[in-house]
Amino acid sequence: MSPLRWARSAAGLAPVPLPLAAAGRGAVALALPLLVGVCTGWVVPSVIAAIGALWGVSQDGSDPYRVRVRRLGWTGVSSALGLLAGELALRSGESAAVAGCLVAAALVAGTIGLRGRIASVSGMHLLLGVTIGTGIPVPGPWWQPPLALLAGVVLVLMLSAAPWLWRRYHVERAAVLAVYRSAGEALAAAGTEDAEEARRRMTLALNHAHEVMAVHLAPRSRRRPQAEVRELVRAFHCAVRLGETVTALVWEARPLPPALTGVPLRLAGRLLPGQVPAPAPDVPTARQEAPALDTDSPGRSALADLCAGTDEPDAADPTLRLPEHAWPGRAARVRYAVLLAGCVLVAHLLAEALHGPRGYWLPMTVAFVYKPDFGPVFTRALHRCVGTVVGVAAIGTVSVAATGTYTVIGVVAVFGALMAVGVRHHYALATMGLTAVVFVLVDLLGDHRALYATRMVDTALASALVLVAHFVVWPDSAAHRAEAQTEAAVAAARRYRDVAPEAGPVQRQSLRRSAYHQLADARRAVAHARGEPARPGRSLPDWEGAIASAERLCDRVTAQVVAVGPDRER
């Protein structure tokens, strides 16, 4: 990889829409507990609740509401349990108990950390809870801080899931509509140099919609679905068939007239009424246009059949299941758990030697940085250091002018909103917001030490510790995963090639969806591996070429299946 390309990958810059709703939730979730504490005089519990809200904001995503509830629920439970364990270890007065609690939490976090998003988040927050519990002595009964922390996470959960009351399936609807929009863009790009990339964007949108809709496609969810769910499921299955048809049309490499490129949105308008702008009076609808689409082109003929088929209300739809994720094996999980525990222990001993009590920042930074399943470890460490430096500079500047209590709470709200934006935009921005908020909250807990330079040094030390441990003991972890993912994706593409010509529609769609899902996962794994510094004298294989060839194979097989037509399936 060239130095310029590697630097861009390390920067991780990518434009995304500004999440104003999430920013508002972050501001309210962090300011409200502090306001309650000021009004009631319960400052310490309110600050602990704000820490819980801070961690909740870090896990507040744009997923379907039930997924948010599960992730935030486990975040609250695991962090509260970790805080309780760390607090009890600290109150015992035994330094060995504190170190043992940290190591035990790190082993648990590492063991479950590579088993999926929710398990990873739960393990990380268990460890974070322990680091706070062992590093910050909190007065009052032992049960009060864990409950306060849990209350802060529950507040974020309520704010995040509240829109479910009036727009219950908004996320699912948006994901399905994105498939139709990207399909129209792919048709518009047919016959141009951008056609393959446009088809890939459509596939990614379809993969996302499949993941979002997965819970509604399960057999138990189809027994008595609501009318809105039935509408969404029907629109999704039509989107799956549309993806197959659009792939065939893009493979034909012939420019298409506007009347055809607008068909996906008109289909969406029929299947999801009120969600897309109505066509102009002089523009024919998909229903009127369907007969004209039946030409000598197999792709156009299939598009006409699809338009006509959406008029059948009782048409049977295949059950499409997401492919099983290939989680790292036991050896990888054990190695990660041991490395994480070792890093946490060394960080704790360094903190004790350098700072004595309240030396939680070093092990807390290790818990945040050493998450290889969240992206390249080097990039995460780099962004953590940059975010900490900027956050320290920002809060140091603001603290000069922020004198009153309510002004301080306003500062927390602003940085909480920035953190919520950073969670979706850039890890360095999220770290900046988190760093500034933590400085204010720790000051409210009574730690008035000037720790600006100390925290920057601690962050650099913890990041260096993680990088040395990871790249000395486990330097090829990302490369091995990228290789395994690529091989699995290529095998899925070949399986689709071998079985699809003789398969029925249900099996064919399942094979195609599985192949494209695994190809997208392989691309992400390869990007992860490219984001890590390469070992001297060793170049990584051309995985991108193999993935692109497998994608073209799937496209060709799809075009051939569409060309055969429905007669084969009868």
Side-chain angles (χ1 to χ4, degrees):
M1 175 183 281
S2 67
L4 180 60
R5 181 181 176 188
W6 180 82
R8 288 175 179 173
S9 176
L13 298 174
V16 296
L18 189 63
L20 296 178
R25 291 196 297 270
V28 172
L30 286 168
L32 187 58
L34 299 181
L35 287 172
V36 171
V38 169
C39 295
T40 61
W42 296 349
V43 176
V44 171
S46 72
V47 172
I48 299 298
I51 293 176
L54 183 70
W55 290 347
V57 169
S58 72
Q59 298 303 322
D60 179 24
S62 56
D63 316 87
Y65 295 112
R66 65 176 70 194
V67 177
R68 298 187 205 181
V69 169
R70 287 181 59 203
R71 186 172 61 247
L72 286 169
W74 280 108
T75 297
V77 171
S78 59
S79 58
L81 289 175
L83 180 61
L84 176 60
E87 185 187 13
L88 294 176
L90 183 63
R91 293 191 181 203
S92 71
E94 299 289 339
S95 58
V98 171
C101 187
L102 282 167
V103 170
L107 287 172
V108 173
T111 301
I112 68 175
L114 302 181
R115 296 289 296 176
R117 178 73 180 187
I118 291 180
S120 179
V121 165
S122 300
M124 180 178 71
H125 283 89
L126 175 73
L127 180 55
L128 289 175
V130 170
T131 60
I132 295 298
T134 56
I136 301 180
V138 180
W142 60 269
W143 50 264
Q144 191 177 74
L147 288 181
L149 189 77
L150 181 60
V153 179
V154 170
L155 174 61
V156 177
L157 189 154
M158 293 172 60
L159 292 173
S160 181
W164 177 85
L165 297 173
W166 62 87
R167 53 176 195 177
R168 186 166 299 183
Y169 303 109
H170 169 75
V171 176
E172 292 90 332
R173 190 177 295 271
V176 173
L177 282 174
V179 179
Y180 287 91
R181 292 193 178 97
S182 60
E185 295 170 0
L187 290 179
T192 69
E193 295 179 353
D194 300 327
E196 186 173 354
E197 183 61 31
R199 196 279 308 153
R200 189 175 294 130
R201 288 195 299 270
M202 179 196 68
T203 301
L204 291 176
L206 191 51
N207 289 349
H208 176 64
H210 196 174
E211 293 168 357
V212 168
M213 290 291 297
V215 68
H216 302 297
L217 301 174
R220 63 178 181 275
S221 300
R222 300 197 312 271
R223 292 172 184 171
R224 290 185 179 178
Q226 300 177 2
E228 191 174 2
V229 174
R230 290 197 301 269
E231 181 182 85
L232 278 169
V233 169
R234 186 180 176 210
F236 168 74
H237 283 303
C238 183
V240 172
R241 295 172 59 198
L242 177 65
E244 185 177 57
T245 302
V246 169
T247 300
L249 283 166
V250 169
W251 184 260
E252 291 174 1
R254 295 167 53 186
L256 301 173
L260 290 182
T261 60
V263 168
L265 282 183
R266 290 194 287 274
L267 277 174
R270 289 167 53 190
L271 294 166
L272 299 171
Q275 301 300 312
V276 293
D282 57 339
V283 176
T285 65
R287 187 191 312 271
Q288 295 169 335
E289 199 172 344
L293 301 181
D294 192 4
T295 67
D296 56 352
S297 165
R300 297 189 184 196
S301 178
L303 188 61
D305 292 341
L306 178 61
C307 293
T310 57
D311 293 329
E312 304 173 13
D314 298 324
D317 287 318
T319 299
L320 298 176
R321 296 183 179 179
L322 290 171
E324 294 291 335
H325 285 285
W327 306 117
R330 179 179 298 178
R333 297 198 302 272
V334 170
R335 182 180 294 188
Y336 171 56
V338 171
L339 281 175
L340 179 61
C343 289
V344 167
L345 178 59
V346 173
H348 169 68
L349 295 177
L350 277 175
E352 287 289 317
L354 295 174
H355 310 305
R358 295 183 180 240
Y360 58 88
W361 197 273
L362 271 160
M364 183 181 71
T365 302
V366 169
F368 275 120
V369 169
Y370 201 10
K371 294 296 298 174
D373 54 318
F374 281 11
V377 176
F378 178 84
T379 304
R380 193 169 176 84
L382 174 65
H383 292 170
R384 187 80 193 176
C385 292
V386 172
T388 300
V389 171
V390 177
V392 166
I395 195 60
T397 303
V398 171
S399 62
V400 175
T403 55
T405 301
Y406 293 103
T407 304
V408 170
I409 294 175
V411 169
V412 170
V414 170
F415 281 106
L418 286 175
M419 179 185 171
V421 174
V423 167
R424 294 161 177 77
H425 195 319
H426 201 280
Y427 184 60
L429 181 60
T431 299
M432 183 198 77
L434 182 143
T435 300
V437 171
V438 168
F439 265 91
V440 175
L441 296 181
V442 170
D443 184 73
L444 290 174
L445 284 176
D447 190 355
H448 306 300
R449 295 176 295 170
L451 296 172
Y452 297 125
T454 302
R455 292 317 184 207
M456 288 190 288
V457 173
D458 285 350
T459 300
L461 280 175
S463 298
L465 173 63
V466 167
L467 292 177
V468 169
H470 182 71
F471 288 109
V472 169
V473 181
W474 205 11
D476 297 324
S477 59
H480 288 162
R481 180 150 182 80
E483 184 176 12
Q485 291 274 48
T486 302
E487 291 176 354
V490 171
R494 291 171 177 169
R495 185 164 56 251
Y496 173 54
R497 175 199 62 189
D498 296 337
V499 179
E502 302 299 328
V506 175
Q507 186 182 15
R508 186 185 73 239
Q509 296 288 10
S510 296
L511 289 168
R512 188 170 67 87
R513 292 276 67 244
S514 178
Y516 281 122
H517 265 290
Q518 293 190 58
L519 287 166
D521 289 344
R523 280 194 178 276
R524 284 190 288 269
V526 169
H528 182 163
R530 300 288 185 196
E532 303 283 21
R535 295 178 67 180
R538 178 183 177 183
S539 60
L540 298 178
D542 182 21
W543 291 311
E544 293 90 346
I547 294 171
S549 298
E551 287 176 338
R552 287 191 291 271
L553 172 63
C554 291
D555 292 348
R556 176 171 57 82
V557 172
T558 299
Q560 292 172 347
V561 169
V562 169
V564 172
D567 292 337
R568 174 187 53 79
E569 301 170 3
R570 294 195 181 106

